[in-house]
Amino acid sequence: VCCCSEVVVKTATIATLLLTASSATAFSTTRSSETISSAQSSSTSLNLFGSKPKDPNAPEGAPGQPGMMDQLAMFKKAQEIASKKKRLDDELANETITGSAADGNIEITVKYIPPQLPTNPTPGYEAAEVNINEEYLEGVSSEDLSVALVEAIRDGEAKATARVGEKYKELEEDMKGIMGGLA
């Protein structure tokens, strides 16, 4: 249960960072003044179809800096991941997840609430429906009923967290691809 929750939080955090970073720097052409050589005719050259010029002081065999096409490809991949995450969140929000307790005499329907980025990056759960067996209700003490309700809610949240973890596994591979295995 803890592992799936961590995956959800990590995925939401990484998606937030990607969306924030990509929207802020997708078209950035930041270069230090030392890397712009006097041979270039314009300081606004974007090198759209390849890498930026290689630093003459770089060690032998070092790759050039990523060009605009690489940045655009990363931006597009981040958009695809964000779109896929939204689709998964919508699917999860429409699923019915049931937690139970007291040998099935109490059932709680839990609804997944997608993260509200960037203000609340953590997903939530809401008890949407409670069903209690009438015969059980007649013979149970209020203390036992209270304990059973809490157990049913926790069971529903645990099942919802596991389901979210399963769905987010799809995103994990995509995140590893864009982050170069760091996710």
Side-chain angles (χ1 to χ4, degrees):
V1 173
C2 182
C3 179
C4 292
S5 177
E6 289 174 10
V7 169
V8 171
V9 172
K10 283 182 182 178
T11 304
T13 303
I14 290 172
T16 302
L17 291 172
L18 284 173
L19 289 173
T20 304
S22 63
S23 65
T25 63
F27 298 101
S28 173
T29 58
T30 58
R31 293 188 235 169
S32 68
S33 59
E34 297 154 6
T35 61
I36 300 175
S37 68
S38 59
Q40 287 181 315
S41 62
S42 170
S43 63
T44 60
S45 173
L46 297 178
N47 300 302
L48 291 175
F49 300 104
S51 299
K52 295 178 185 176
K54 187 173 178 180
D55 182 2
N57 300 326
E60 188 65 32
Q65 297 175 351
M68 185 66 140
M69 295 303 282
D70 295 334
Q71 289 179 356
L72 289 173
M74 282 189 69
F75 180 69
K76 183 175 180 171
K77 185 67 174 175
Q79 286 180 323
E80 289 172 10
I81 290 172
S83 174
K84 189 173 186 178
K85 182 189 176 308
K86 180 169 179 4
R87 181 182 53 79
L88 290 174
D89 281 342
D90 290 344
E91 288 174 14
L92 286 165
N94 290 321
E95 285 188 20
T96 300
I97 302 166
T98 305
S100 63
D103 298 325
N105 288 310
I106 296 179
E107 291 184 343
I108 304 278
T109 301
V110 176
K111 289 289 185 182
Y112 171 77
I113 301 171
Q116 305 300 314
L117 300 174
T119 57
N120 186 9
T122 306
Y125 306 101
E126 179 179 271
E129 187 177 319
V130 178
N131 291 316
I132 303 173
N133 181 314
E134 287 184 35
E135 292 175 13
Y136 173 76
L137 186 58
E138 290 173 7
V140 70
S141 70
S142 61
E143 293 85 18
D144 290 342
L145 178 61
S146 177
V147 169
L149 283 168
V150 170
E151 287 176 7
I153 290 170
R154 287 184 180 157
D155 181 54
E157 287 179 352
K159 288 178 180 175
T161 300
R163 184 69 182 127
V164 169
E166 290 171 13
K167 284 282 201 180
Y168 274 30
K169 285 287 185 191
E170 296 175 28
L171 283 180
E172 187 175 357
E173 292 303 315
D174 291 341
M175 298 297 283
K176 283 181 181 176
I178 196 170
M179 299 297 290
L182 298 176

Coordinates of all heavy atoms in Angstrom, one line a residue, residues 60-118:
E60 N 37.6 15.9 -25.7 CA 37.5 15.1 -27.0 C 36.3 14.1 -26.8 O 36.3 13.4 -25.9 CB 38.8 14.4 -27.3 CG 38.8 13.8 -28.7 CD 38.7 14.8 -29.8 OE1 39.2 15.9 -29.7 OE2 38.1 14.5 -30.8
G61 N 35.4 14.0 -27.8 CA 34.4 13.0 -27.8 C 33.1 13.4 -27.0 O 32.1 12.7 -27.0
A62 N 33.1 14.6 -26.4 CA 31.9 15.1 -25.7 C 30.9 15.5 -26.6 O 31.2 16.1 -27.6 CB 32.3 16.2 -24.7
P63 N 29.6 15.1 -26.4 CA 28.5 15.5 -27.3 C 28.2 17.0 -27.2 O 28.5 17.6 -26.2 CB 27.3 14.7 -26.8 CG 27.6 14.4 -25.4 CD 29.1 14.3 -25.3
G64 N 27.6 17.5 -28.3 CA 27.2 18.9 -28.3 C 26.0 19.1 -27.4 O 25.4 18.1 -27.0
Q65 N 25.6 20.3 -27.2 CA 24.4 20.6 -26.4 C 23.2 20.3 -27.2 O 23.2 20.4 -28.4 CB 24.4 22.0 -25.9 CG 25.6 22.4 -25.1 CD 25.6 23.9 -24.7 OE1 24.9 24.6 -25.3 NE2 26.5 24.3 -23.9
P66 N 22.1 19.9 -26.5 CA 20.9 19.6 -27.3 C 20.4 20.9 -28.1 O 20.4 22.0 -27.5 CB 19.8 19.2 -26.3 CG 20.4 19.6 -25.0 CD 21.9 19.8 -25.1
G67 N 19.9 20.6 -29.3 CA 19.4 21.7 -30.1 C 17.9 21.9 -29.8 O 17.3 21.3 -29.0
M68 N 17.3 22.8 -30.6 CA 15.9 23.2 -30.5 C 15.0 22.0 -30.7 O 14.0 21.8 -30.1 CB 15.6 24.3 -31.4 CG 14.2 24.8 -31.2 SD 14.0 25.6 -29.6 CE 13.0 27.0 -30.0
M69 N 15.4 21.2 -31.7 CA 14.6 20.0 -32.0 C 14.5 19.0 -30.9 O 13.5 18.4 -30.6 CB 15.1 19.3 -33.3 CG 15.0 20.1 -34.6 SD 13.3 20.7 -34.9 CE 12.7 19.2 -35.6
D70 N 15.6 18.9 -30.1 CA 15.6 18.0 -29.0 C 14.7 18.6 -27.9 O 13.9 17.8 -27.2 CB 17.0 17.8 -28.4 CG 18.0 17.1 -29.3 OD1 17.5 16.3 -30.2 OD2 19.2 17.4 -29.2
Q71 N 14.7 19.9 -27.7 CA 13.9 20.5 -26.7 C 12.4 20.4 -27.1 O 11.5 20.1 -26.2 CB 14.2 22.0 -26.5 CG 15.5 22.2 -25.8 CD 15.9 23.7 -25.7 OE1 15.2 24.5 -26.2 NE2 17.0 24.0 -25.1
L72 N 12.1 20.5 -28.4 CA 10.7 20.4 -28.8 C 10.2 19.0 -28.7 O 9.1 18.7 -28.3 CB 10.6 20.8 -30.3 CG 10.7 22.3 -30.5 CD1 10.8 22.6 -32.0 CD2 9.6 23.1 -29.8
A73 N 11.1 18.0 -28.9 CA 10.7 16.6 -28.7 C 10.4 16.3 -27.3 O 9.5 15.6 -27.0 CB 11.8 15.7 -29.3
M74 N 11.3 16.8 -26.4 CA 11.0 16.6 -24.9 C 9.7 17.3 -24.5 O 9.0 16.8 -23.7 CB 12.2 17.1 -24.1 CG 13.4 16.2 -24.1 SD 14.6 16.8 -22.9 CE 13.7 16.5 -21.4
F75 N 9.5 18.5 -25.0 CA 8.2 19.2 -24.7 C 7.0 18.4 -25.2 O 6.1 18.3 -24.5 CB 8.3 20.6 -25.4 CG 7.1 21.4 -25.1 CD1 6.8 21.9 -23.8 CD2 6.2 21.7 -26.1 CE1 5.7 22.7 -23.6 CE2 5.0 22.5 -25.9 CZ 4.8 23.0 -24.6
K76 N 7.1 17.9 -26.4 CA 6.0 17.1 -26.9 C 5.8 15.8 -26.1 O 4.6 15.5 -25.8 CB 6.3 16.7 -28.4 CG 5.1 16.0 -29.0 CD 5.3 15.7 -30.5 CE 4.1 14.9 -31.0 NZ 4.1 14.8 -32.4
K77 N 6.8 15.2 -25.7 CA 6.7 14.0 -24.9 C 6.1 14.3 -23.5 O 5.3 13.6 -23.0 CB 8.1 13.3 -24.7 CG 8.1 12.0 -23.9 CD 7.4 10.9 -24.7 CE 7.5 9.6 -24.0 NZ 6.7 8.5 -24.6
A78 N 6.5 15.5 -22.9 CA 5.9 15.9 -21.6 C 4.4 16.1 -21.8 O 3.6 15.8 -20.9 CB 6.6 17.1 -21.1
Q79 N 4.0 16.7 -22.9 CA 2.6 17.0 -23.2 C 1.8 15.7 -23.3 O 0.7 15.5 -22.8 CB 2.4 17.8 -24.4 CG 2.8 19.3 -24.3 CD 2.6 20.1 -25.5 OE1 2.8 19.6 -26.6 NE2 2.1 21.3 -25.4
E80 N 2.5 14.7 -24.0 CA 1.8 13.4 -24.2 C 1.6 12.7 -22.8 O 0.6 12.1 -22.6 CB 2.7 12.5 -25.1 CG 2.7 12.9 -26.5 CD 3.7 12.1 -27.4 OE1 4.3 11.1 -26.9 OE2 3.9 12.5 -28.5
I81 N 2.6 12.8 -22.0 CA 2.5 12.2 -20.6 C 1.5 12.9 -19.8 O 0.7 12.2 -19.1 CB 3.9 12.2 -19.9 CG1 4.9 11.2 -20.6 CG2 3.8 11.8 -18.4 CD1 6.3 11.3 -20.1
A82 N 1.4 14.2 -19.9 CA 0.4 14.9 -19.1 C -1.0 14.5 -19.6 O -1.9 14.4 -18.8 CB 0.6 16.4 -19.2
S83 N -1.2 14.4 -20.9 CA -2.4 14.0 -21.5 C -2.8 12.6 -21.0 O -4.0 12.3 -20.7 CB -2.4 14.1 -23.0 OG -3.5 13.6 -23.6
K84 N -1.8 11.7 -21.1 CA -2.1 10.3 -20.6 C -2.5 10.3 -19.1 O -3.4 9.5 -18.7 CB -0.9 9.4 -20.9 CG -1.1 8.0 -20.7 CD 0.2 7.2 -21.2 CE -0.1 5.7 -21.1 NZ 1.1 5.0 -21.6
K85 N -1.8 11.1 -18.3 CA -2.1 11.1 -16.9 C -3.5 11.6 -16.7 O -4.2 11.1 -15.8 CB -1.1 12.0 -16.1 CG -1.3 12.1 -14.6 CD -0.5 13.1 -14.0 CE -0.8 13.2 -12.5 NZ -2.2 13.4 -12.2
K86 N -3.9 12.7 -17.4 CA -5.3 13.2 -17.3 C -6.3 12.1 -17.6 O -7.3 11.9 -17.0 CB -5.5 14.4 -18.1 CG -6.9 14.9 -18.0 CD -7.1 16.3 -18.6 CE -8.4 16.8 -18.5 NZ -9.5 16.1 -17.8
R87 N -6.0 11.4 -18.7 CA -6.9 10.3 -19.1 C -7.0 9.2 -18.0 O -8.1 8.8 -17.7 CB -6.4 9.7 -20.5 CG -7.3 8.5 -21.0 CD -6.8 7.9 -22.3 NE -5.5 7.5 -22.2 CZ -5.1 6.3 -21.6 NH1 -6.0 5.5 -21.0 NH2 -3.8 5.9 -21.6
L88 N -5.9 8.8 -17.5 CA -5.9 7.8 -16.4 C -6.6 8.3 -15.2 O -7.4 7.6 -14.6 CB -4.4 7.4 -16.0 CG -3.6 6.6 -17.0 CD1 -2.2 6.4 -16.6 CD2 -4.3 5.3 -17.3
D89 N -6.4 9.6 -14.8 CA -7.1 10.2 -13.7 C -8.6 10.2 -13.9 O -9.4 9.9 -13.0 CB -6.6 11.6 -13.4 CG -5.3 11.6 -12.6 OD1 -4.9 10.6 -12.0 OD2 -4.6 12.7 -12.6
D90 N -9.0 10.5 -15.1 CA -10.5 10.5 -15.5 C -11.0 9.1 -15.4 O -12.1 8.9 -14.8 CB -10.7 11.1 -16.9 CG -10.4 12.6 -16.9 OD1 -10.4 13.2 -15.9 OD2 -10.3 13.1 -18.1
E91 N -10.3 8.1 -15.9 CA -10.7 6.7 -15.8 C -10.9 6.3 -14.3 O -11.9 5.7 -13.9 CB -9.8 5.8 -16.5 CG -9.8 5.8 -18.0 CD -8.7 5.0 -18.6 OE1 -8.1 4.1 -17.9 OE2 -8.5 5.2 -19.8
L92 N -9.9 6.6 -13.5 CA -9.9 6.3 -12.1 C -11.1 6.9 -11.3 O -11.7 6.3 -10.5 CB -8.6 6.6 -11.4 CG -7.4 5.7 -11.7 CD1 -6.1 6.3 -11.4 CD2 -7.6 4.3 -11.0
A93 N -11.3 8.2 -11.7 CA -12.4 8.9 -11.0 C -13.8 8.3 -11.3 O -14.7 8.4 -10.5 CB -12.4 10.4 -11.5
N94 N -13.9 7.6 -12.5 CA -15.1 7.0 -12.8 C -15.3 5.6 -12.4 O -16.3 5.0 -12.5 CB -15.3 7.1 -14.4 CG -15.6 8.5 -14.8 OD1 -16.3 9.2 -14.2 ND2 -15.0 8.8 -16.0
E95 N -14.2 5.0 -11.8 CA -14.3 3.6 -11.3 C -15.0 3.6 -9.9 O -14.9 4.5 -9.1 CB -12.9 3.0 -11.1 CG -12.3 2.7 -12.4 CD -11.0 1.9 -12.3 OE1 -10.7 1.3 -11.2 OE2 -10.2 1.9 -13.3
T96 N -15.6 2.5 -9.6 CA -16.2 2.2 -8.3 C -15.4 1.3 -7.6 O -15.1 0.1 -8.0 CB -17.7 1.6 -8.5 OG1 -18.4 2.6 -9.3 CG2 -18.3 1.4 -7.2
I97 N -14.9 1.7 -6.4 CA -14.0 0.9 -5.6 C -14.7 0.7 -4.3 O -15.1 1.7 -3.6 CB -12.6 1.6 -5.5 CG1 -12.0 1.8 -6.9 CG2 -11.7 0.7 -4.6 CD1 -10.8 2.7 -6.9
T98 N -14.8 -0.5 -3.8 CA -15.5 -0.8 -2.6 C -14.6 -1.4 -1.5 O -13.9 -2.3 -1.8 CB -16.7 -1.8 -2.9 OG1 -17.5 -1.2 -4.0 CG2 -17.5 -2.0 -1.7
G99 N -14.7 -0.8 -0.4 CA -14.1 -1.4 0.8 C -15.1 -2.0 1.7 O -16.2 -1.5 1.7
S100 N -14.7 -3.0 2.4 CA -15.7 -3.7 3.3 C -15.1 -4.0 4.6 O -13.9 -4.1 4.8 CB -16.2 -4.9 2.6 OG -15.2 -5.9 2.4
A101 N -16.0 -4.3 5.6 CA -15.6 -4.7 6.9 C -16.7 -5.5 7.6 O -17.8 -5.6 7.0 CB -15.2 -3.5 7.8
A102 N -16.4 -6.0 8.8 CA -17.4 -6.8 9.5 C -18.0 -7.9 8.7 O -19.2 -8.0 8.5 CB -18.5 -5.9 10.1
D103 N -17.1 -8.7 8.1 CA -17.5 -9.8 7.2 C -18.4 -9.4 6.1 O -19.4 -10.2 5.8 CB -18.1 -10.9 8.1 CG -17.2 -11.5 9.1 OD1 -15.9 -11.6 8.8 OD2 -17.6 -11.8 10.2
G104 N -18.2 -8.3 5.5 CA -19.0 -7.8 4.4 C -20.3 -7.2 4.8 O -21.1 -6.8 3.9
N105 N -20.6 -7.0 6.1 CA -21.8 -6.4 6.5 C -21.8 -4.8 6.3 O -22.9 -4.2 6.3 CB -22.1 -6.7 8.0 CG -22.6 -8.1 8.1 OD1 -23.5 -8.6 7.4 ND2 -21.9 -8.8 9.1
I106 N -20.6 -4.3 6.2 CA -20.5 -2.8 5.9 C -19.6 -2.7 4.6 O -18.6 -3.3 4.5 CB -19.8 -2.1 7.0 CG1 -20.6 -2.2 8.3 CG2 -19.5 -0.7 6.6 CD1 -20.0 -1.5 9.5
E107 N -20.2 -1.9 3.7 CA -19.5 -1.7 2.4 C -19.4 -0.2 2.2 O -20.4 0.5 2.4 CB -20.2 -2.3 1.2 CG -20.0 -3.8 1.2 CD -20.7 -4.5 0.0 OE1 -21.4 -3.8 -0.7 OE2 -20.3 -5.6 -0.3
I108 N -18.2 0.3 1.8 CA -18.0 1.8 1.6 C -17.6 1.9 0.1 O -16.6 1.2 -0.3 CB -16.9 2.4 2.5 CG1 -17.3 2.1 4.0 CG2 -16.7 3.8 2.2 CD1 -18.2 3.1 4.6
T109 N -18.2 2.7 -0.6 CA -17.8 3.0 -2.0 C -16.9 4.2 -1.9 O -17.2 5.3 -1.4 CB -19.0 3.3 -2.9 OG1 -19.9 2.2 -2.9 CG2 -18.5 3.6 -4.3
V110 N -15.7 4.0 -2.4 CA -14.6 5.1 -2.4 C -14.4 5.6 -3.8 O -14.3 4.9 -4.8 CB -13.3 4.5 -1.9 CG1 -12.2 5.6 -1.9 CG2 -13.5 4.0 -0.4
K111 N -14.4 6.9 -3.9 CA -14.2 7.6 -5.2 C -12.8 8.2 -5.2 O -12.4 8.8 -4.2 CB -15.2 8.7 -5.5 CG -16.6 8.2 -5.8 CD -16.6 7.5 -7.2 CE -18.0 7.1 -7.5 NZ -18.0 6.4 -8.8
Y112 N -12.1 8.1 -6.3 CA -10.7 8.7 -6.5 C -10.9 10.1 -6.9 O -11.7 10.4 -7.7 CB -10.0 7.9 -7.5 CG -8.7 8.5 -8.0 CD1 -7.6 8.4 -7.2 CD2 -8.6 9.2 -9.2 CE1 -6.3 9.0 -7.6 CE2 -7.4 9.8 -9.6 CZ -6.3 9.7 -8.8 OH -5.1 10.2 -9.2
I113 N -10.2 11.0 -6.2 CA -10.2 12.4 -6.6 C -8.8 12.8 -7.1 O -7.8 12.7 -6.4 CB -10.5 13.3 -5.3 CG1 -11.9 12.9 -4.8 CG2 -10.5 14.8 -5.7 CD1 -12.2 13.5 -3.4
P114 N -8.7 13.1 -8.4 CA -7.4 13.4 -9.0 C -6.8 14.6 -8.4 O -7.5 15.5 -7.8 CB -7.8 13.7 -10.5 CG -9.1 13.1 -10.7 CD -9.8 13.1 -9.4
P115 N -5.4 14.6 -8.4 CA -4.7 15.8 -7.9 C -5.1 17.1 -8.6 O -5.4 17.0 -9.8 CB -3.3 15.5 -8.1 CG -3.2 14.2 -8.9 CD -4.6 13.7 -9.0
Q116 N -5.2 18.2 -7.9 CA -5.6 19.5 -8.5 C -4.3 20.3 -8.6 O -3.9 21.0 -7.7 CB -6.6 20.2 -7.6 CG -7.8 19.4 -7.3 CD -8.6 19.0 -8.6 OE1 -8.8 19.9 -9.5 NE2 -9.0 17.8 -8.7
L117 N -3.5 20.0 -9.7 CA -2.2 20.7 -9.9 C -2.4 22.1 -10.2 O -3.3 22.5 -10.8 CB -1.5 20.0 -11.0 CG -1.2 18.5 -10.8 CD1 -0.6 17.9 -12.1 CD2 -0.3 18.2 -9.6
P118 N -1.5 23.0 -9.7 CA -0.4 22.8 -8.8 C -0.7 23.0 -7.4 O 0.1 22.7 -6.5 CB 0.6 23.8 -9.3 CG -0.2 25.0 -9.7 CD -1.5 24.3 -10.3

